Amino acid sequence: MVLEFEKPIADLEQKLQEMKDLAKGRNIDLSADIESLEEKIQNLKKETFENLTRWQRVQLSRHADRPYALDYIYEITNDFIELHGDRSVKDDKAMIGGLGDIDGRTVMFIGQQKGRNTKQRQERNFGMANPEGYRKALRLMKMAEKFGKPIVTLIDTPGAFPGLEAEERGQGEAIARNLKEMFMLKVPVICIIIGEGASGGALGIAIGDRVFMLENTWYSVISPESCSSILWRSWDYKEQAAEALKLTANDMKGNGLIDDIIPEPLGGAHRDLKTMSETIKDTILKTLKELDKQKPEKRIDQRIEKFCSMGVVVE
């Protein structure tokens, strides 16, 4: 899949491959031309991805090849055991979680999971969790707290499932309970937005001691398309909506809503899963080392203060 703004890069990469094939097939020395074209591609990539609009970053966060939660978990951990069910209704496959080992340390991973093909997307409900998904997440968080294991959440959802049946089973209550309970968890909690971070569906697993965003992700109360449809009665103004929402990682850090930005490989996380996973792993280990120095009561107080200080109150 090639996004519109990536087409000039893709065209040059195709020419580069053709040049390499020609040099190999006819035994011609084109090393100087190949090197020159490679340098041109690299410069174009830097220029393109350093100057992306907010809407282009939204598009990149939804790229069909972009890694999902389980992709990162399997790369980061030496051994991952997925846990299932909320012990009440069913196992929500849009919300995944389990215990994984990182360099000898056990961590509870929780995250939203999307699908690669039509069947998987239906099975995962496009990453939109039902109430039982949030209740499963809370059950795993409480399990982690009981055994003194840190929690890492990976956020990637267009929002909680808005269907009637979800509301009948208490969607709002499930998310609200997660918000309340996550503030009081005694173990370290790290939240990382790896794709889309929309509305309460994202916030339901995003209350933590440290909140990070990958470079090409977005975090907002509403998607640009939905915002456009409300304000302009049309999806045609989604680019303007994205600009107005200020939903990128740079915007969020500038407004003090996240702690830091995790850089992605040039071209996006989907270009190099291993490098991206190593960067996330290093961030997790470094952050846990910092949080381990604090007593649980201190962490809880700082966590509450962190979120209570967000926004502006006008009396």
Side-chain angles (χ1 to χ4, degrees), residues 42-89:
Q42 190 72 3
N43 291 336
L44 182 58
K45 278 184 180 180
K46 286 181 180 179
E47 182 183 351
T48 300
F49 288 97
E50 284 175 1
N51 298 286
L52 292 177
T53 65
R54 290 182 173 90
W55 173 244
Q56 286 170 339
R57 290 201 187 276
V58 170
Q59 290 179 295
L60 206 53
S61 76
R62 298 168 174 170
H63 197 287
D65 298 326
R66 192 171 178 87
Y68 296 143
L70 286 175
D71 296 320
Y72 288 125
I73 290 171
Y74 286 126
E75 282 289 332
I76 291 169
T77 62
N78 300 319
D79 187 20
F80 176 66
I81 302 173
E82 188 173 354
L83 302 173
H84 301 273
D86 69 338
R87 300 297 186 267
S88 179
V89 179

Side-chain angles (χ1 to χ4, degrees), residues 16 26 73 94 120 136 144 223 243:
L16 176 64
R26 298 190 180 182
I73 290 171
Q120 288 178 359
K136 173 169 75 170
S223 71
E243 291 297 319

Side-chain angles (χ1 to χ4, degrees), residues 110-179:
I110 298 167
Q112 284 112 352
Q113 177 70 19
K114 297 177 180 177
R116 292 286 172 202
N117 53 45
T118 302
K119 184 178 179 181
Q120 288 178 359
R121 286 171 189 144
Q122 289 177 333
E123 184 181 34
R124 300 287 183 182
N125 201 30
F126 299 88
M128 298 185 293
N130 279 276
E132 46 272 21
Y134 291 97
R135 289 173 182 138
K136 173 169 75 170
L138 182 58
R139 180 178 77 82
L140 299 185
M141 291 176 198
K142 287 295 187 181
M143 180 188 295
E145 182 181 45
K146 178 179 179 180
F147 294 104
K149 305 302 179 185
I151 299 165
V152 173
T153 67
L154 302 175
I155 296 109
D156 185 14
T157 181
F161 184 59
L164 178 62
E165 61 272 32
E167 298 298 339
E168 289 175 340
R169 293 197 299 275
Q171 184 74 287
E173 186 276 339
I175 293 173
R177 182 175 294 276
N178 277 25
L179 302 184

Side-chain angles (χ1 to χ4, degrees), residues 199-211:
S199 192
L203 197 60
I205 58 168
I207 304 294
D209 302 297
R210 298 287 186 274
V211 180

